[in-house]
Amino acid sequence: PAPANSKAPATASAASAAFERADTNQDGQLSAQEVARLPAIVQRFNELDTDKSGTLSREEFEKGAQF
């Protein structure tokens, strides 16, 4: 049987790919405008923006994508 955490790398990989697609200006951050194309994330943008920078870092985005 597969390990219990076998989905984690796939989820991280999918989140990373989604981040890359959404980061249209390739600055390593997602602005509210870039996130607007991701309904599941845009609804939680302020919650996920834990440092209140007005953008989502890859780490913030990937944490949000785990839910």
Side-chain angles (χ1 to χ4, degrees):
N5 65 355
S6 64
K7 290 185 179 181
T11 301
S13 179
S16 183
F19 184 94
E20 294 293 329
R21 286 192 304 273
D23 186 17
T24 56
N25 67 357
Q26 302 298 302
D27 68 350
Q29 302 285 319
L30 296 183
S31 67
Q33 290 137 334
E34 289 170 322
V35 170
R37 301 177 354 171
L38 305 169
I41 300 295
V42 75
Q43 295 173 345
R44 298 172 49 222
F45 184 87
N46 290 332
E47 172 191 345
L48 298 175
D49 182 19
T50 56
D51 65 0
K52 305 303 178 203
S53 65
T55 61
L56 296 183
S57 67
R58 182 180 299 271
E59 180 180 341
E60 290 169 329
F61 178 83
E62 289 182 358
K63 282 182 183 177
Q66 291 177 2
F67 295 101

